[in-house]
Amino acid sequence: SAVISQKPSRDICQRGTSLTIQCQVDSQVTMMFWYRQQPGQSLTLIATANQGSEATYESGFVIDKFPISRPNLTFSTLTVSNMSPEDSSIYLCSVEEVRGAKNIQYFGAGTRLSVL
Amino acid sequence: AQSVSQHNHHVILSEAASLELGCNYSYGGTVNLFWYVQYPGQHLQLLLKYFSGDPLVKGIKGFEAEFIKSKFSFNLRKPSVQWSDTAEYFCAVNPGNTDKLIFGTGTRLQVFP
């Protein structure tokens, strides 16, 4: 499976600031995804990032708050803007590998964000 | 709305005990089903998957899961757990012709020697 690297692995930020999380894959992938895992909760999809097009956001998530870039087939960034303590979460990047008709998502290690 | 339910939030077992973790989903169409595992301090890893065919699928480390379409379930099983199975387990569903994964809330498994 693809090797996915996320940076930073963790950060502590002040409210009102922004943090950009990077996701690097060791192979070219079409589909990349960003998830959020709030404390004690499951993973929730924020958006799907395809190279060469605007990210597609899920209900409850907006581009102004979570702008995403996808400049090429191996890299994506997620920015958490104007942060508040409610944004404290683990943010995960995933990539989709297609094997025949079977699509499987693999995950990065995540970025643990604490907002003070 | 599509959802995935994992009824066991926290399971505590002794080594060699049998394990079954429940997973139910709400979606009437074709689904692909997954179990992911997150060991302490590690990233989410794929444990096993179901796309089609034999509803009993085998994964890594002796885990298996059974897809029962009539019950909208995909329960995870292991006949004899080990201390190293201590982890959080997530059921996930990929509904229809989408790329989205919908996750359950996770089950925290603690295995004591």
Side-chain angles (χ1 to χ4, degrees), chain A:
Chain A
S1 62
V3 176
I4 305 163
S5 302
Q6 261 188 256
K7 292 182 189 179
S9 58
R10 59 179 62 228
D11 207 341
I12 301 173
C13 301
Q14 298 294 323
R15 70 169 66 215
T17 63
S18 298
L19 176 72
T20 295
I21 302 167
Q22 298 179 2
C23 180
Q24 179 77 51
V25 190
D26 69 344
S27 58
Q28 294 185 339
V29 293
T30 302
M31 305 287 282
M32 295 180 78
F33 306 85
W34 287 99
Y35 290 82
R36 180 175 73 182
Q37 186 178 17
Q38 292 181 300
Q41 297 187 31
S42 188
L43 285 79
T44 302
L45 180 63
I46 297 172
T48 303
N50 292 341
Q51 193 268 337
S53 62
E54 293 285 329
T56 304
Y57 289 83
E58 296 300 303
S59 175
F61 298 96
V62 295
I63 188 171
D64 290 345
K65 176 67 176 177
F66 297 101
I68 287 171
S69 78
R70 182 77 202 274
N72 56 53
L73 291 173
T74 62
F75 187 77
S76 178
T77 66
L78 170 76
T79 299
V80 187
S81 304
N82 188 25
M83 288 183 284
S84 66
E86 292 71 34
D87 294 319
S88 297
S89 286
I90 298 173
Y91 291 86
L92 297 109
C93 164
S94 79
V95 304
E96 184 178 71
E97 289 194 349
V98 179
R99 300 178 182 175
K102 301 176 181 178
N103 301 350
I104 300 172
Q105 285 190 33
Y106 295 96
F107 287 81
T111 296
R112 186 179 295 269
L113 170 62
S114 298
V115 184
L116 305 178

Side-chain angles (χ1 to χ4, degrees), chain A residues 1-2 4 92 106-110, chain B residues 37-46:
Chain A
S1 62
I4 305 163
L92 297 109
Y106 295 96
F107 287 81
Chain B
V37 60
Q38 188 168 29
Y39 297 103
Q42 297 188 29
H43 66 280
L44 209 59
Q45 302 173 37
L46 182 66

Side-chain angles (χ1 to χ4, degrees), chain B residues 74-89:
Chain B
F74 190 54
N75 292 355
L76 181 71
R77 299 195 291 249
K78 185 170 183 178
S80 176
V81 294
Q82 300 173 310
W83 175 79
S84 58
D85 294 324
T86 295
E88 185 133 22
Y89 293 81

Side-chain angles (χ1 to χ4, degrees), chain B residues 21-113:
Chain B
L21 301 182
C23 173
N24 289 89
Y25 62 92
S26 63
Y27 182 74
T30 302
V31 293
N32 299 316
L33 300 158
F34 305 85
W35 277 95
Y36 286 86
V37 60
Q38 188 168 29
Y39 297 103
Q42 297 188 29
H43 66 280
L44 209 59
Q45 302 173 37
L46 182 66
L47 193 58
L48 50 76
K49 58 194 181 293
Y50 171 81
F51 289 95
S52 63
D54 188 344
L56 184 63
V57 293
K58 296 191 183 298
I60 60 172
K61 304 188 180 184
F63 285 91
E64 64 179 31
E66 184 175 14
F67 170 49
I68 303 179
K69 188 175 182 179
S70 60
K71 294 185 178 179
F72 299 90
S73 70
F74 190 54
N75 292 355
L76 181 71
R77 299 195 291 249
K78 185 170 183 178
S80 176
V81 294
Q82 300 173 310
W83 175 79
S84 58
D85 294 324
T86 295
E88 185 133 22
Y89 293 81
F90 294 92
C91 179
V93 174
N94 168 224
N97 295 322
T98 74
D99 298 293
K100 300 179 185 180
L101 274 183
I102 301 170
F103 281 83
T105 51
T107 297
R108 184 180 172 211
L109 171 66
Q110 281 186 291
V111 180
F112 289 96

Side-chain angles (χ1 to χ4, degrees), chain B residues 9-28:
Chain B
H9 297 294
H10 190 189
V11 174
I12 302 173
L13 294 174
S14 298
E15 274 192 320
S18 64
L19 171 72
E20 180 159 3
L21 301 182
C23 173
N24 289 89
Y25 62 92
S26 63
Y27 182 74

